[in-house]
Amino acid sequence: MQTATPPTLASMQDIQTPPDIGNWPLAYGYWLVILIAITLIILVCFGLIKRHKQRAIKRAAINELAQLKLDDRQFASHVNALLKRCAMSHGTREQFAHLDGEPWFTWLNSKTAAPDTTLTSLLAKRYQPIPLSQDEAQQLHDAAKRWLQQALPLKTLKGDTAC
């Protein structure tokens, strides 16, 4: 036997559930996180590009130093000219063109944490009539390469008027 449904229940309809919540539109917090992430990515990219450009002088100078011939009579003069061009690339000609001898060697030593007396003593021999020996030329090459790696890109130190 069938049971009769009461008339009040017969007039009721099934419950309508709301539609599922979608992913869009995103909440404001998510937009803020996305904006911060994009900004950070852009800033990091600009920083890397700037660093790459700053170190271009260093790479070019080390490559040029590697191309110099150790047995050249003017090797010490070429190394000195290369170091002076590196200095002038970070400042004005007026700041560096007049530097020679002890003021130049003092400036070179002030740009590294551990000054290298080998570099300055061998550069001082650049105008002597007897060229550098093979060992001295190799020492000058190594000292100049160390200076380029440590000092470039140039940073202004306390009390430094040049650069």
Side-chain angles (χ1 to χ4, degrees), residues 24-99:
W24 294 98
L26 290 177
Y28 294 121
Y30 288 114
W31 285 110
L32 182 64
V33 168
I34 291 170
L35 181 67
I36 290 172
I38 290 173
T39 304
L40 287 176
I41 290 170
I42 290 171
L43 290 175
V44 166
C45 288
F46 278 127
L48 290 175
I49 290 169
K50 182 179 177 183
R51 181 179 172 181
H52 182 74
K53 287 180 181 178
Q54 285 177 339
R55 296 180 186 269
I57 294 170
K58 180 181 193 173
R59 288 189 305 274
I62 291 173
N63 287 338
E64 188 174 337
L65 180 65
Q67 292 175 358
L68 293 176
K69 297 189 188 307
L70 295 175
D71 56 352
D72 186 4
R73 292 183 58 84
Q74 300 295 318
F75 180 72
S77 294
H78 293 310
V79 171
N80 188 60
L82 174 65
L83 296 176
K84 189 142 315 191
R85 279 197 320 265
C86 289
M88 282 192 262
S89 69
H90 286 84
T92 63
R93 183 174 182 81
E94 291 78 27
Q95 289 174 311
F96 298 104
H98 70 281
L99 292 178

Side-chain angles (χ1 to χ4, degrees), residues 46 81 115 127 150:
F46 278 127
Y127 296 125
Q150 292 173 5

Side-chain angles (χ1 to χ4, degrees), residues 3-4 11 16 24 31 37 40-41 49 59 61-62 83 91 93 100-101 103 107 111 123 125 134 136 139 147:
T3 60
S11 65
Q16 299 285 328
W24 294 98
W31 285 110
L40 287 176
I41 290 170
I49 290 169
R59 288 189 305 274
I62 291 173
L83 296 176
R93 183 174 182 81
D100 196 28
W107 185 87
K111 293 301 173 184
L123 282 178
K125 296 182 176 183
Q134 194 70 10
E136 288 176 329
Q139 289 174 356
W147 187 89

Side-chain angles (χ1 to χ4, degrees), residues 22 24 34 49 71 119-120 140 157 161-162:
W24 294 98
I34 291 170
I49 290 169
D71 56 352
L119 176 67
T120 56
L140 178 59
L157 298 176
T161 57

Side-chain angles (χ1 to χ4, degrees), residues 108-163:
L108 284 174
N109 286 332
S110 72
K111 293 301 173 184
T112 58
D116 189 3
T117 57
T118 307
L119 176 67
T120 56
S121 65
L122 291 173
L123 282 178
K125 296 182 176 183
R126 68 186 180 275
Y127 296 125
Q128 292 184 357
I130 300 171
L132 296 176
S133 69
Q134 194 70 10
D135 290 337
E136 288 176 329
Q138 185 63 46
Q139 289 174 356
L140 178 59
H141 179 273
D142 296 341
K145 186 173 182 178
R146 270 193 309 276
W147 187 89
L148 290 170
Q149 289 172 339
Q150 292 173 5
L152 293 181
L154 292 176
K155 300 163 204 66
T156 304
L157 298 176
K158 294 178 186 174
D160 194 9
T161 57
C163 198

